[in-house]
Amino acid sequence: MKLAKSSRFSPTSGPVVTIVLDGVGISPREDGDAVKAARTPMLDKLMANFPMTKLLAHGKAVGMPSDEDMGNSEVGHNAIGAGRVFAQGAKLVAESIASGHLWQGHAWQEVVAAAKQGGTLHFLGLFSDGNVHSHIDHLKAMIERAKQEGVGKVRLHILLDGRDVGETSALDYVDPFEAYLDGLRSADFDVAVASGGGRMKITMDRYEADWSMVQRGWDIHVKGEGRQFASAHEAIETYRNELGVIDQDLPGFVIAKDGQPLGKIVDGDAVVFYNFRGDRAIEISRAFTEETFCPFHRGALPKVTYAGMMQYDGDTKLPPRFLVEPPAIDRTMGEYLAKNGVSQYAISETQKYGHVTYFWNGNRSGKFDDALETYVEIPSDVVPFEQRPWMKCAEITDALIAAIRSGQYKYLRVNYANGDMVGHTGNFEAAVTAMQGLDLQLARLIPVILEAGGVALITADHGNADEMYELDKKGNVTRDAEGRTKAKTSHTLNPVPFVLVSGEADPAYKLRDDLAAPGLSNIAATVLNLLGYEAPQDYDPSLIVPA
Ligand SMILES: O=C(O)[C@H](O)COP(=O)(O)O
Ligand SMILES: [Mn+2]
Ligand SMILES: [Mn+2]
């Protein structure tokens, strides 16, 4: 994996620093754009005075099935880190179902075999068509196939979304789904929703930010312990009336009849966790598969046949049984740099820590070279982020500045979570504050990079804070009769900025203007060029050429 020294580009004298402003896209509108509404003098100055372009960060440009699919952190960081576009989970699963490949695999057959020996088949996962972590069509295909193969009993554990889809859209999925189940149910096919809850309250924690979420999910899904309702519809309506919260924050619920939970998970059952994306699937998968397990008190571990939709971690092989092969993301920029002796530093706060390490490195949790790489995680607050929109951006900057000044690292990367995590709350004012907090940090960071003779690449993995209001099909902000907007919590389809900041009066390179539709996957080759290397042949082209 030796990289050729470039004859066209000489290495920058200082470090190259990639700054990912998570969830900061460029919207064509002003209305509802927290990025534009924020006072960000530093970002404005950088965008006005340095070479800048827009990069595609959604749809096919990041390996999603269609250009109607928004981008997300996984596919965005995969593309940035790997310098190429790989068909992603959403696409691979859809293809595996369409071709029938999924049903032929060992994992599916073992799951079905367990269920046919008297166990219940449980499907657990994010219940929407957001296509970021899961898709409801995959769930339906598996339920229908299970019925066809003679499985007698299926239970569903549904995590309500409101984060990758409309913030109060849960019933738009639940009601038609109940009707769909009514149509499938028969004397020898017993299928029902057994439990559920909002995805930010139970089960789908990531990067060990808050294990108590997973514990609450475990108690609800596995033990059937929690507040009981007759149906998911009733649970959603009751909690909405009582708490006034949006879907992602609805508490867990257990569906019961005569006080008995409909679908506890017990010895002999099979469990399919049907999310394809790994970050929020790893903790619950560990709880189901690790013999010795410390993060919370699980009680007796039921002996189940557990399968993930994909293998979520290529290093730890978690989970061991999975339905679809994950994208084979190889030879990432991080691996090339490690193998060519380039020292690297990666930093974020907990909520995005895995994005700049695990996703960046092609869904691998380890380092390529312990001696050459430093990964730093600043612990995130465990609070609703609209209450602390600055999150840990100042602490991240403190550490990053120290790392740059140490002179130890030639390539550094950082993810600032603010635009995204606060964008997901749907709170416009908080998102504006998030952007302003971020701008203060850029104003501290950029001069330090330039003092060190370095270059900063400012970009993002996808949009979010750039569209805080729901849009209609024509792309206009939706307003009700009183002129009120509806909060939008999900990512956007907008492109993201790419700003190339250097202190040189006359850099020996310039941005290319001949690439038809540059995207996130063009960043890796650019970084390698700035470090004085030619990128591997099959990497997507660099964004720079000699001046
Ligand atoms: O997991 C989440 O928080 C959202 O579904 C997607 O956000 P991310 O892709 O920016 O992490
Ligand atoms: Mn993101
Ligand atoms: Mn996000």
Side-chain angles (χ1 to χ4, degrees), residues 57 59 64 77 92 113 140 250 298 318 353 388 422 498 501:
M64 298 297 286
H77 288 79
L92 296 172
K140 286 180 164 176
L250 290 167
R298 232 174 8 185
L318 181 84
Y353 172 69
R388 302 273 194 294
V422 185
F498 178 85
V501 183

Side-chain angles (χ1 to χ4, degrees), residues 53-58 61 495-496 498 511-523 526 540-543:
T53 187
K54 294 179 192 174
L55 299 178
L56 291 176
H58 77 289
V496 297
F498 178 85
L511 275 185
R512 286 177 75 154
D513 52 15
D514 59 335
L515 289 173
L520 296 179
S521 60
N522 298 97
I523 294 175
T526 316
D540 286 344
S542 168
L543 295 163

Side-chain angles (χ1 to χ4, degrees), residues 73 133 163-164 199 206 277 280 352 420 462 491:
S73 292
H133 294 268
R163 189 173 173 90
D164 300 327
R199 57 174 286 180
R206 69 173 163 210
R277 172 163 148 175
R280 297 188 184 277
K352 300 287 178 184
D420 184 65
H462 53 77
H491 296 168

